Amino acid sequence: MARRDKVTIADIARHVGLTNMTVSRALNKPDKVKPATRERILAAARELGYVPNAFASHLRSRENRLIGLVTASVDNPFYSEVIKAISRDAKKQNYTIMLIDTDGAPELEEVAIETLLSYQVAGIILSPVSDDAEYRPAYLDRLRRARLPVVMLDRTLDVADFSRVVLDNHRAGRLLGEQLVKQDIQQVLALTGPRGSRITQQRLAGLKEAYAAAGVPLALEQRPGDYTLQPAYRDMADYLRHGMLPEAVFGFNQLITLGAMRALHDAHVSRDDVLVVGIDRLPYADIFDVSVWCAVHDTYQAGHEAIQLLFEKINDPAASAREVVIASSLIR
């Protein structure tokens, strides 16, 4: 099928025998054109299949109602729930969300930021690909020069000038550590994020603190991953292939926990033989009669707080950067 060329204002102008300026005015400032002329132009636009350029209209408008949302893992149910909360709050304020998934790639994150800057968004909510203290993406300086409101969510860059919403990761680790102590567990396999991740480090610190406070020895083995399911599955399966069976497995996020549980299932290891605990709620686990101790956070609150911080900065560019911490709680 031949490609259909996009209909332009010039095409409409030729069709009705008027100038480009008159047609443009009828489409963008209809009150400036005589009613009869305006109706003639609009009828021609409909007939030709003209579609307005939303980006160009956006640039002409005095008020930007577009918010960029950049996440490294849109397939993670935790982020999906947070995004839903952000989108709902944005709609209440007549803002539209432009979502970009970087799939954990720094180069795609760079492109995402450049794209949002080109769209002249009103602000950005950013969950970076890494929260390693050494991660310093080049786009930071461009965001600062643009004086663009930015709020970091969950994973954060080690900078002080952007507001942020973070989870109480240390308490999450401690809560699960205390539960493991109660279960008389002394050997733990921790399937974590990257070693350099501050989230991983904080959760590990909370786990170790729980054992130290109880005066119970802890034999801890860490297998670092990238907060996704497949590496966790491979690490758990590899551990089992070597004939080892931990007393407990601690998944450092929802996808890691699910990956570990799948590997245990495939290896025909009973849930009675290995205790599994994890951070983040396991959706629909109760349907399959699966009970897992989880340290959870209110995802709706996380999204709500993130966009409220962004609106705060949009409405008052001089507002100081703030941090909001989302509390951890234990469920089963």
Side-chain angles (χ1 to χ4, degrees):
M1 180 181 292
R3 176 181 175 274
R4 182 179 179 182
D5 292 334
K6 183 178 179 180
V7 177
T8 67
I9 284 176
D11 296 328
I12 299 173
R14 283 193 296 271
H15 189 78
V16 297
L18 296 169
T19 66
N20 290 0
M21 183 177 295
T22 301
V23 172
S24 177
R25 189 178 292 122
L27 295 173
N28 298 299
K29 298 180 180 179
D31 56 309
K32 302 293 184 181
V33 180
K34 293 179 180 179
T37 302
R38 180 176 67 242
E39 289 305 317
R40 182 180 163 200
I41 291 170
L42 293 177
R46 289 191 294 269
E47 179 184 343
L48 295 175
Y50 172 74
V51 178
N53 186 328
F55 180 43
S57 300
H58 149 71
L59 291 177
R60 285 192 297 269
S61 67
R62 291 186 177 183
E63 188 174 16
N64 191 333
R65 312 298 292 187
L66 189 64
I67 289 173
L69 177 53
V70 181
T71 175
S73 183
V74 75
D75 58 339
N76 185 329
F78 172 86
Y79 285 112
S80 299
E81 294 169 4
V82 170
I83 290 167
K84 186 185 297 183
I86 291 171
S87 179
R88 286 174 177 171
D89 277 10
K91 288 175 185 175
K92 292 176 183 178
Q93 300 296 327
N94 295 317
Y95 278 84
T96 299
I97 295 296
M98 184 175 183
L99 173 63
I100 303 180
D101 179 14
T102 61
D103 202 24
E107 62 275 14
L108 294 181
E109 186 170 89
E110 286 280 348
V111 172
I113 297 300
E114 289 294 343
T115 299
L116 294 175
L117 287 171
S118 72
Y119 270 79
Q120 299 182 15
V121 295
I124 295 176
I125 296 175
L126 169 66
S127 182
V129 300
S130 173
D131 68 331
D132 190 306
E134 301 301 317
Y135 182 52
R136 284 289 194 280
Y139 61 73
L140 273 174
D141 289 337
R142 294 195 291 280
L143 289 174
R144 288 166 176 148
R145 287 195 298 271
R147 300 181 182 275
L148 189 68
V150 176
V151 172
M152 294 180 292
L153 175 61
D154 186 28
R155 299 179 190 177
T156 62
L157 301 171
D158 192 20
V159 295
D161 47 339
F162 297 144
S163 290
R164 65 195 64 211
V165 176
V166 296
L167 310 181
D168 193 342
N169 294 298
H170 185 277
R171 178 165 172 76
R174 173 141 188 171
L175 286 172
L176 287 172
E178 291 171 348
Q179 186 58 41
L180 291 172
V181 168
K182 290 178 182 177
Q183 301 291 327
D184 296 322
I185 300 293
Q186 294 186 22
Q187 182 198 10
V188 178
L189 172 64
L191 301 178
T192 74
R195 289 191 188 276
S197 163
R198 283 169 293 149
I199 292 174
T200 286
Q201 292 166 0
Q202 291 162 6
R203 292 174 179 177
L204 274 176
L207 170 65
K208 293 175 182 177
E209 184 180 273
Y211 275 84
V216 175
L218 171 63
L220 176 66
E221 180 173 349
Q222 180 186 0
R223 293 286 183 98
D226 64 357
Y227 293 118
T228 61
L229 190 148
Q230 284 304 322
Y233 177 87
R234 290 194 299 266
D235 284 342
M236 186 75 252
D238 179 69
Y239 190 91
L240 295 172
R241 275 195 300 271
H242 284 80
M244 297 180 287
L245 199 64
E247 291 181 333
V249 176
F250 185 162
F252 268 42
N253 80 347
Q254 189 177 67
L255 295 178
I256 291 175
T257 305
L258 290 172
M261 292 174 68
R262 177 184 290 178
L264 289 165
H265 175 270
D266 290 352
H268 307 291
V269 176
S270 168
R271 292 202 302 271
D272 295 330
D273 295 331
V274 176
L275 178 65
V276 177
V277 300
I279 293 177
D280 298 336
R281 191 183 309 273
L282 296 182
Y284 312 119
D286 58 324
I287 295 176
F288 304 99
D289 196 27
V290 174
S291 180
V292 176
W293 285 105
C294 296
V296 301
H297 307 87
D298 188 330
T299 52
Y300 184 86
Q301 183 189 4
H304 173 75
E305 295 289 354
I307 199 163
Q308 293 308 312
L309 285 176
L310 191 68
F311 286 148
E312 183 178 293
K313 193 67 174 177
I314 290 172
N315 295 328
D316 180 11
S320 300
R322 294 199 297 118
E323 177 179 275
V324 175
V325 180
I326 306 300
S328 303
S329 59
L330 195 64
I331 66 166
R332 187 178 186 183

